[in-house]
Amino acid sequence: MNKSANTEYVIHELLRDRWSPRMFSGEEITDDDLNTLFEAARWAPSSNNLQPWRFICLRQGTPEYDKAFDCLAEFNQRWVGNAPVLILTAYKEKTPKGMDNFHAPHDLGLAVANLSIQAQAMGIAIHQMAGLNWKKAQEVFNVPEGFHITTAIAVGFYGGDPDELDDELKKSELKERKRKPVSEFVGNGQWPS
Ligand SMILES: Cc1cc2nc3c(=O)[nH]c(=O)nc-3n(C[C@H](O)[C@H](O)[C@H](O)COP(=O)(O)O)c2cc1C
């Protein structure tokens, strides 16, 4: 299935063609694939090169995966099992000097963006989720104090059949991808109006 963005200006095909599916092909994600994805995340820029991101990688069929699955919102539990791998993301809240690092969520986002575009180049789709009980995930995975679980990410090769989804999910899967126009969020010399 192709859900290429209908862009105002030409962008790289890796960005244009990325989307967030709720269905995946049955193809296995190998350890090499995962290492490549995390290597891409590793080379993201970050404020002061603090690299505040952390990831917990979970394979379907393991007890650890089941624990993470139990932390997901019901809406996400309905489809996430279609992906063979689940990742929990987190960031470190403080700088080494003990200051709040408010750039840390930004840097985690950059690492995930790197991972997502590397994945796209490999035919792998990722679907990020805020819909999880992060406090429960912190407890279940004994996350040390000072780190904040942020999202879960479903990872699998693009593919699968929308007919395997329930009606509501199938509808959103087939919907056109939309964005605000560039002019709405970019201001030239002034706040965007
Ligand atoms: C931080 C973040 C949280 C998200 N949370 C969820 C979620 O809980 N469940 C879900 O189905 N999609 C979730 N999404 C996916 C977005 O809905 C999706 O990226 C957006 O609709 C744009 O679609 P596209 O990625 O296909 O372009 C999330 C995406 C991001 C980046």
Side-chain angles (χ1 to χ4, degrees):
M1 203 166 114
N2 177 352
K3 287 191 72 169
S4 280
N6 184 11
T7 61
E8 291 175 70
Y9 303 97
V10 175
I11 58 173
H12 196 282
E13 62 185 18
L14 290 175
L15 300 165
R16 185 195 62 203
D17 296 344
R18 181 215 59 81
W19 63 287
S20 305
R22 296 191 176 90
M23 53 179 195
F24 301 84
S25 86
E27 194 176 338
E28 189 203 348
I29 300 269
T30 64
D31 287 344
D32 279 353
D33 292 333
L34 289 172
N35 287 335
T36 302
L37 296 183
F38 290 121
E39 186 70 27
R42 180 182 175 213
W43 288 99
S46 61
S47 174
N48 275 312
N49 201 16
L50 288 179
Q51 305 157 64
W53 47 76
R54 298 290 185 276
F55 300 100
I56 303 175
C57 188
L58 305 139
R59 276 191 184 280
Q60 209 179 137
T62 62
E64 293 77 20
Y65 173 96
D66 293 342
K67 285 185 196 167
F69 183 91
D70 286 344
C71 297
L72 296 175
E74 186 275 335
F75 174 73
N76 289 324
Q77 288 180 339
R78 273 161 54 194
W79 58 268
V80 90
N82 296 334
V85 171
L86 196 57
I87 298 170
L88 295 177
T89 78
Y91 66 87
K92 188 174 183 191
E93 295 168 314
K94 303 251 186 219
T95 67
K97 289 187 177 155
M99 310 283 283
D100 282 338
N101 183 5
F102 79 93
H103 296 109
H106 171 277
D107 295 343
L108 170 61
L110 286 175
V112 174
N114 264 24
L115 185 154
S116 80
I117 298 307
Q118 178 65 46
Q120 185 68 27
M122 295 160 73
I124 294 173
I126 75 160
H127 195 134
Q128 301 169 70
M129 290 163 273
L132 91 156
N133 184 338
W134 64 269
K135 284 188 182 159
K136 183 173 167 185
Q138 302 253 134
E139 277 177 36
V140 167
F141 288 98
N142 295 316
V143 174
E145 205 171 316
F147 290 85
H148 193 310
I149 294 264
T150 311
T151 57
I153 308 178
V155 184
F157 278 92
Y158 280 105
D161 184 349
D163 285 335
E164 287 162 18
L165 299 169
D166 65 46
D167 285 350
E168 189 193 358
L169 292 178
K170 182 178 165 187
K171 219 166 126 191
S172 75
E173 201 75 350
L174 300 176
K175 237 179 18 198
E176 189 194 350
R177 295 175 55 231
K178 290 221 167 114
R179 291 297 191 270
K180 295 170 183 168
V182 171
S183 58
E184 199 176 318
F185 61 87
V186 178
N188 285 315
Q190 59 177 8
W191 185 254
S193 53

